[in-house]
């Protein structure tokens, strides 16, 4: 049984139950056994996390930045082994996806968060000298529980992923829960963090802790513990809603990224002039990582026309020709089977695919479904069921007004894309559509598919419910993502000599401007 | 039966049930009857509010600013009548409290929000030109339900109070629920808004709507309706928790300001040197508005010493000498009776007061309770029961370490105050105490009582649960308070000519910096 990382070291778990991961490409179990931590063990992690939060009071921001940089350096030194393990556990391509793209992004995020931690750009202080008021932000005073998803074993891992970097940059300790799909990858990342911690003696031992699994009830119990100040979660809607409810009840912030169909509207003139480009872009986007991107395009809305039929036929041919990708785990095909059944039950019909691929690996046929606008408007909830994989629903609307009605019926999504022609023939419809989408999505794209989330201060990887739990926060991009794990504090007539004790940056004239 | 304001005009309610307010100074009912709106009527308001949100898409920010300014101008023109009505309905002093202080603050807030609406300083755009990404904020796409409290009939009224101004400034329509304690005041404010709306024909008719009362179940139903995008609430913890739960379940932001004991620590050397000043400051603060300020100091922590006994005796004498103020309504004395019973049940004992004042008016004796630090640490939850009125618990701790342990046991509060001596003898204890308080309060004060909330960009009127529902937001101070009622949106490769259509400020070079 693999050890957990508790209060500064790898220690044997008290678990009586364990689990193994599988290689989803072959369906075969991997050799290591990982513990399902019992409740008391979670309590131990929480208590140590709280002690770490206390020890972090007044920490110099530079120490946090240094730690995040050291994490990046250590990971860089073990990049080959980490990426190889992730490929084995997730079925994602080793190159370029894991070893080049996701690894580079992970290191970039850690270093950007380190820079923000150092300059405290996330804290946005405001000074009202006349009234002797100073607003600033500070750490939450407890541990942040980070629960990473299956689909980004590096960049969103509970250890060293985006939420981890954000929580640390704001001065919080982290309790990471590994995703059970890639426990070995998480263990390797934790070993990097252990080495980084050894080089940062100013930080508390329980700065980062890690466990692999627990029962759902024990996980919700941990969310409710006073020592846990906030939660970062990326994963399924079913789990996200339960975690959000537990955190809401306890009155603490939970940043849950849950699900998104990422609608793509192809406006009529754009459909006439760009059909081939749309088909190519769409197929590349929906096939990327076997469709298991948070921003994979799952819903395409077009207006009925010969060009629409050409597009559907073109996309169908591309999906049929592509080899189904390996899904992240055994749950993938089952989830897709259920989603296709729900969509078909609400009136959609399968154009291509729709079935599990026989054999031991975790695969599902590349799938295209279609429905009419009328059908969509009659069952808008069911027809927005997320099919997490290379599967999408094309909705063929009667006219522009029906496309707008469909937009008004959309739930919150991470993204919304609009393809339109370049001569201006779609502008009137665009002008009516864009504001509807702005209310419903976190990111509005023109002539582009939504996969590809640049780590930029101007990014918003977020969106209205049920994409996330709050429309005002982004999970990607610094310094904004860091703000999620901080609280506001106003210093009212606090004596000048005392400001530096709690907020060292106040002595830095840049933050007083 | 008084009319509600629905979709642009005062209309008769479909209510079959009504209520009357009372004059709390005399206990006598006031003549007007106000409707308890049935569920269908709330649905009508929600539908009209959603239509208004649609009509507001692409509104010029200047139109929102103009409207808020006109609201202020109209209120200024009717200030005497409004303040007189508020005094009659709440028992708060007409002068200076209502007519001068709260009226000025209300006008100031509306005008500050107007300025922020015009310059869109609340939206904090971020541009990444290299990646063609532009992050901005926008309205929520539905109505904001604003539920005002009893204790600020003007400055926090659902009509023209702080949350109203914030929600409008971000471009949202408002559905205001009057507090049943001051329906006439709310009606007068709504008449001002009606006149302002008539002068702003660019705004939708249902920009602001108002109803007086509904059943708790119907209110929670309204919170869950899709047309309602967010909720602003100030009031009791019991109601706030229910509203937060309904909003959380529906996945929409609820900004609930619920309760706060606002701890005041008097450090040992400060107690020796400033006892008289602390007693004077404390008595003035806890007696202000009959103790019914959100930031009223309800918990004072001192170290056992002769000076502590002097302070308690001094405070007791001041509270005994002061005439009990008029509470906001008949619920006030009952709530205080319950709170005193809970506190005493957990070990506190009454030093002064503790009982309802006989007679028809709504009054409760000025009340001082005391407990030991040991008692507090044995029952920290019960001994943080909010007694909303001129009532406070003094906790006499054994030593500095026990004071720190008490601080660690505190729930979230809006404020935390520390009095200490000027020679530096309390600095070591201060250095240990301040970071604990920073995690638990929204505003840290030195040598000052917490009542008095300056409307400043550097203010934080917020705090960790259960003071509010999220530690990252302030309800007072612009532009920050406006951000609560907005969502993030990122424009990804959106064509340049299209930016102004949805976000007119993009054409303003100031917001591109």
């Amino acid at each position: 049984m693999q050890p957990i990382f508790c209060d500064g070291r790898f220690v044997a778990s008290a678990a009586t139950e364990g689990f193994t991961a599988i290689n989803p490409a072959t369906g075969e179990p991997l050799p290591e056994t990982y513990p399902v931590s019992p409740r008391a063990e979670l309590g131990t992690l929480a208590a140590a996390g709280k002690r770490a939060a206390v020890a972090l009071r007044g920490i110099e921001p530079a120490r946090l930045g240094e730690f995040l940089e050291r994490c990046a350096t250590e990971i860089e030194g073990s990049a080959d082994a980490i990426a190889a393990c992730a490929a084995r556990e997730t079925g994602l391509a080793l190159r370029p996806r894991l070893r080049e793209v996701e690894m580079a992004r992970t290191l970039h995020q850690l270093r950007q968060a380190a820079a923000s931690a150092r300059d405290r750009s996330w804290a946005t202080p405001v000074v009202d000298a006349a009234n002797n008021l100073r607003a600033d932000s500070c750490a939450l005073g407890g541990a942040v529980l980070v629960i990473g998803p299956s689909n980004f074993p590096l960049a969103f891992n509970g250890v060293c992923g985006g939420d981890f970097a954000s929580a640390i940059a704001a001065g919080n300790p982290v309790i990471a829960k590994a995703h059970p799909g890639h426990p070995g990858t998480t263990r390797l990342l934790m070993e990097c963090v252990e080495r980084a911690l050894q080089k940062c003696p100013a930080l508390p031992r329980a700065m980062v802790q890690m466990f692999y699994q627990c029962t759902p009830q024990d996980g919700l119990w941990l969310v409710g513990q006073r020592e846990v100040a906030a939660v970062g979660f990326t994963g399924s809607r079913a789990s996200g809603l339960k975690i959000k409810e537990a955190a809401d009840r306890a009155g603490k912030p939970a940043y849950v990224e849950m699900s998104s169909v990422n609608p793509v509207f192809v406006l009529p003139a754009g459909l006439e002039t760009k059909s081939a480009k749309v088909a190519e872009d769409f197929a590349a986007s929906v096939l990327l990582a076997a469709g298991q991107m948070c921003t994979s395009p799952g819903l395409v809305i077009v207006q009925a026309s010969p060009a629409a039929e050409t597009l559907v036929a073109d996309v169908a041919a591309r999906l049929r020709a592509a080899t189904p990708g390996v899904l992240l785990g055994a749950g993938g095909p089952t989830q897709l089977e259920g989603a296709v059944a729900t969509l078909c039950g609400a009136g959609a019909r399968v154009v291509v695919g729709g079935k599990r691929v026989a054999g031991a690996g975790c695969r599902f046929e590349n799938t295209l479904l279609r429905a009419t606008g009328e059908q969509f408007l009659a069952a808008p909830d069911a027809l927005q069921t997320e099919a997490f994989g290379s599967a999408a629903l094309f909705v063929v609307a009667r006219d522009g007004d029906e496309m707008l009605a469909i937009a008004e019926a959309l739930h919150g999504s991470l993204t919304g894309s609009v393809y339109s022609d370049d001569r201006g023939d779609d502008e009137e419809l665009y002008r009516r559509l864009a504001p509807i989408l702005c209310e419903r999505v976190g990111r509005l794209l023109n002539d582009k598919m939504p996969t590809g989330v640049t780590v930029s201060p101007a990014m918003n990887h977020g969106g209205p419910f049920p994409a996330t739990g709050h429309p005002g926060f982004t999970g990607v991009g610094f310094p904004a993502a860091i703000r999620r794990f901080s609280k506001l504090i106003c210093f009212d007539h606090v004596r000048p000599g005392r400001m530096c004790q709690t907020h060292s940056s106040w002595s830095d004239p840049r933050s007083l401007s």
Side-chain angles (χ1 to χ4, degrees), chain A:
Chain A
M1 191 92 88
Q2 295 292 309
I4 63 167
F5 195 83
C6 175
D7 204 10
R9 58 204 180 90
F10 280 101
V11 295
S13 168
T16 54
E17 207 188 322
F19 72 97
T20 55
I22 63 157
N23 178 337
T26 62
E28 282 168 16
L30 294 164
E32 297 82 8
T33 302
Y34 298 90
V36 178
S37 290
R39 188 174 287 199
E41 192 158 284
L42 304 183
T44 303
L45 295 168
K50 175 68 194 181
R51 288 196 301 275
V54 169
L56 282 166
R57 289 174 186 156
I59 190 81
E60 280 178 66
R63 296 284 79 76
L64 302 170
E66 184 195 345
F67 171 60
L68 290 169
E69 284 153 9
R70 286 196 184 277
C71 288
T73 305
E74 294 294 338
I75 292 170
E76 208 162 23
S78 304
D80 288 332
I82 293 168
C85 182
R88 203 159 51 235
E89 292 186 323
T90 64
L92 293 167
L94 178 61
R95 293 180 184 275
R97 161 68 195 257
L98 290 167
R99 182 61 187 87
E100 277 85 38
V101 181
E102 192 175 338
M103 180 59 71
R105 178 177 168 161
T106 306
L107 302 176
H108 179 56
Q109 285 179 171
L110 287 166
R111 286 165 178 153
Q112 283 211 337
S116 291
R118 283 181 188 278
D119 66 19
R120 290 191 88 246
S121 50
W122 57 273
T124 57
V126 181
V127 176
D128 173 352
N131 290 301
N132 200 356
L133 293 168
R134 288 165 168 77
D136 200 355
S137 299
C138 62
L140 292 167
V144 173
L145 176 61
V146 180
I147 304 171
S150 58
N151 63 340
F152 276 85
L154 310 179
F156 281 87
N157 198 300
V159 179
C160 289
D163 284 355
F164 168 99
S166 296
I168 300 273
N172 306 285
V174 163
I175 299 172
K177 183 191 164 297
H179 191 280
H182 45 254
T185 309
T186 309
R187 156 119 206 202
L188 291 176
L189 290 168
M190 193 65 234
E191 288 173 2
C192 293
V193 171
E194 183 184 30
R195 293 194 294 274
L197 276 173
Q198 282 161 358
K199 289 168 184 158
C200 295
L203 295 184
R205 291 187 305 188
M207 186 79 205
V208 180
Q209 302 181 97
M210 185 272 294
F211 69 103
Y212 292 97
Q213 184 60 298
C214 60
T215 66
Q217 307 91 284
D218 287 349
L220 298 177
W221 174 85
L222 178 60
V223 168
Q225 292 306 289
R226 202 183 171 192
E227 294 88 352
V228 171
V231 184
F233 167 87
T234 307
S236 73
R237 192 189 299 186
S239 299
L241 288 177
K242 282 184 199 140
I243 288 164
K244 175 172 154 35
E245 190 195 354
D248 287 340
R249 205 181 314 122
K252 63 189 72 171
Y255 302 99
V256 292
E257 194 210 306
M258 296 185 285
S259 55
S260 185
V261 297
N262 303 303
V264 177
F265 287 80
V266 186
L267 305 193
L271 185 57
E272 293 289 340
T273 55
K274 294 184 179 178
S275 178
K277 176 176 162 49
V278 172
E280 189 184 339
D281 287 4
F282 172 79
S285 189
V286 83
L287 291 169
L288 189 65
Q292 301 163 112
M293 309 290 280
C294 310
T295 53
S296 192
L299 182 66
V300 180
I301 299 97
V302 296
Q303 185 177 317
S305 67
E309 296 308 318
T310 304
L311 177 66
V312 169
D314 191 351
V315 166
R318 288 169 189 269
L319 296 192
R320 205 178 284 116
T323 306
V326 176
L327 296 171
L328 291 157
T334 307
Q335 186 274 336
L336 279 161
E337 224 163 35
V340 169
T342 302
L343 293 166
C344 290
R349 68 179 173 81
V350 172
V351 179
V352 168
K355 290 195 301 294
R356 190 188 278 267
V357 174
C362 304
R363 289 184 176 82
F364 197 86
E365 294 174 349
N366 301 323
T367 299
L368 177 65
L369 301 103
R370 67 182 289 169
T372 65
E374 197 177 8
Q375 286 172 320
F376 186 89
L377 293 172
D381 294 346
L383 290 179
Q384 289 180 69
T385 299
E386 188 184 37
F388 195 64
S390 292
L393 172 67
F394 272 57
V395 176
V396 182
R398 195 188 323 113
D399 53 23
D401 282 342
E402 199 170 79
M403 291 178 84
L404 295 173
I406 290 165
E408 295 275 14
L410 290 174
H411 303 161
S413 259
L414 297 170
T415 68
S417 302
V418 186
Y419 278 79
S420 56
D421 89 321
D422 296 327
R423 295 160 315 188
D425 292 352
D426 285 323
E427 287 314 292
E428 196 198 321
L429 190 54
Y430 182 90
R431 264 199 306 276
R432 295 167 70 198
L433 175 62
I436 303 173
L437 288 179
C438 279
E439 291 168 5
R440 283 162 181 75
V441 307
R443 179 162 54 108
L444 177 69
L445 302 99
N446 278 187
D447 310 305
K448 236 187 124 190
M449 287 293 160
T451 42
V453 180
T454 307
V455 180
S456 160
M459 175 49 64
N460 179 27
H461 189 66
F465 187 85
T468 79
H470 194 296
F473 294 100
T474 177
V476 171
F478 304 102
I482 299 171
R483 283 183 203 124
R484 297 176 296 159
F485 299 108
S486 70
K487 70 176 281 295
L488 270 180
I489 177 79
C490 169
F491 299 100
D492 188 341
H493 285 78
V494 169
R495 301 185 194 170
R498 287 171 169 177
M499 297 304 305
C500 305
Q501 293 162 8
T502 41
H503 285 252
S504 53
S505 70
W506 284 104
S507 59
D508 178 344
R510 280 174 306 172
S511 48
L512 288 164
S513 63

